Amino acid sequence: MSTASNAHDDAGQAPAEARKHTAGAYDVRTVIAGLIGLYGIVLTLMGLFANSAEDKAKTGDWNANLWSGIVMIAVALFFAIWLKLRPVVVDPVALEKEKGEGTSDGSDATPH
C-alpha cells in the first residue's frame, strides 16, 4: 500500500545512478574566464584613468590598455557564455567505473 508521502518521494527523484551534474567551478573555462576578465577590467581602468601622452606615443597614438582590456573582457564573456550553454556533464556511473579500472601504467596495482 502506497502512502502520499512515498508517492511524492519516488515521483520527483531519479535513481542515484542516473543523476548527473555539471563540473561547475572545476571546469577550466571558469578559471580562464575569471582571470582574463579580471585582467581585462584592470587594463580597461588603467586605459581610462592612467593614460598619459607618453603611453600614447609608445603605441602609435592609441590607447593600448583600453582596447586590450575591452577585448579581454569580450573574450571572458565568450568563455562565460560558452560555459553556460555547453556545460561539462559529470556522470557518476562512469566515474565509479573508472575508479575500478586503475591507471594505464599499473602504478596503483597492489603487490601480491
Side-chain angles (χ1 to χ4, degrees):
M1 179 157 98
S2 172
T3 64
S5 62
N6 287 344
H8 175 67
D9 291 339
D10 294 338
Q13 296 192 6
E17 63 269 7
R19 281 188 236 149
K20 296 180 180 180
H21 61 279
T22 61
Y26 296 108
D27 192 342
V28 71
R29 295 174 293 180
T30 304
V31 176
I32 292 171
L35 287 175
I36 291 178
L38 178 67
Y39 295 148
I41 290 169
V42 169
L43 281 176
T44 302
L45 292 174
M46 291 295 293
L48 289 172
F49 300 114
N51 190 30
S52 67
E54 286 179 18
D55 292 336
K56 279 191 170 186
K58 290 179 190 176
T59 59
D61 204 31
W62 65 285
N63 194 341
N65 285 340
L66 178 66
W67 289 106
S68 299
I70 291 171
V71 169
M72 290 177 86
I73 290 171
V75 170
L77 287 174
F78 167 77
F79 271 92
I81 292 168
W82 181 22
L83 180 65
K84 290 292 183 190
L85 293 178
R86 304 264 316 187
V88 174
V89 178
V90 179
D91 184 9
V93 174
L95 288 176
E96 287 298 321
K97 182 179 175 186
E98 287 178 13
K99 279 184 186 177
E101 292 177 1
T103 60
S104 61
D105 65 355
S107 62
D108 65 341
T110 56
H112 296 283

